[in-house]
Amino acid sequence: MRFMSFVTSAHAGPPTAELIEAMNKLADREIKAGRMVDMGGLTPVAMGAQVRIADGKLSVIDGPFVEAKEVIGGYAIMEFRNKEEAVASAVEFMQLHKDFMPDWEGTCEVRAFAGP
């Protein structure tokens, strides 16, 4: 089954060099094992845009977005046998954050792709 994990946080700064190194080691392992399909970190919201429909009108809003309390910092697309394996992978990934950025707070959401 294919899963997407994405990390959200109110933390504004970039990850530490130590966390990046640990994440790269984990990614290398998962790529070699054939489980990682794609992954990446995202640029700050100030560099992004939103396309919205509200009150029947379509609009484009350049970042930063005032109402953003938490933002998506990165994602991973992985192949696992089941949800339990996907969640275990997310726990391992979040443990890296706890180990290398102890004051960081955030969430990793894990969701299966719909369909085959």
Side-chain angles (χ1 to χ4, degrees), residues 7-11 70 94 97 103-108:
V7 176
T8 58
S9 177
H11 182 81
E70 288 193 333
M94 293 298 276
H97 288 73
D103 295 332
W104 183 87
E105 293 183 358
T107 302
C108 182

Side-chain angles (χ1 to χ4, degrees), residues 1-18:
M1 295 177 68
R2 190 165 283 191
F3 290 85
M4 176 179 265
S5 300
F6 50 94
V7 176
T8 58
S9 177
H11 182 81
T16 63
E18 296 83 8

Side-chain angles (χ1 to χ4, degrees), residues 43-49 62-65:
T43 59
V45 294
M47 299 173 72
D62 287 325
F65 314 113

Side-chain angles (χ1 to χ4, degrees), residues 12-39:
T16 63
E18 296 83 8
L19 177 56
I20 290 172
E21 182 180 342
M23 289 189 298
N24 287 339
K25 285 180 183 176
L26 178 60
D28 287 345
R29 186 191 79 199
E30 295 302 305
I31 290 167
K32 288 176 184 169
R35 290 184 289 262
M36 182 168 285
V37 176
D38 192 21
M39 63 124 204

Side-chain angles (χ1 to χ4, degrees), residues 51-71:
V51 179
R52 290 186 184 177
I53 298 175
D55 298 323
K57 295 179 185 173
L58 185 79
S59 62
V60 176
I61 302 159
D62 287 325
F65 314 113
V66 176
E67 69 277 3
K69 291 182 177 62
E70 288 193 333
V71 297

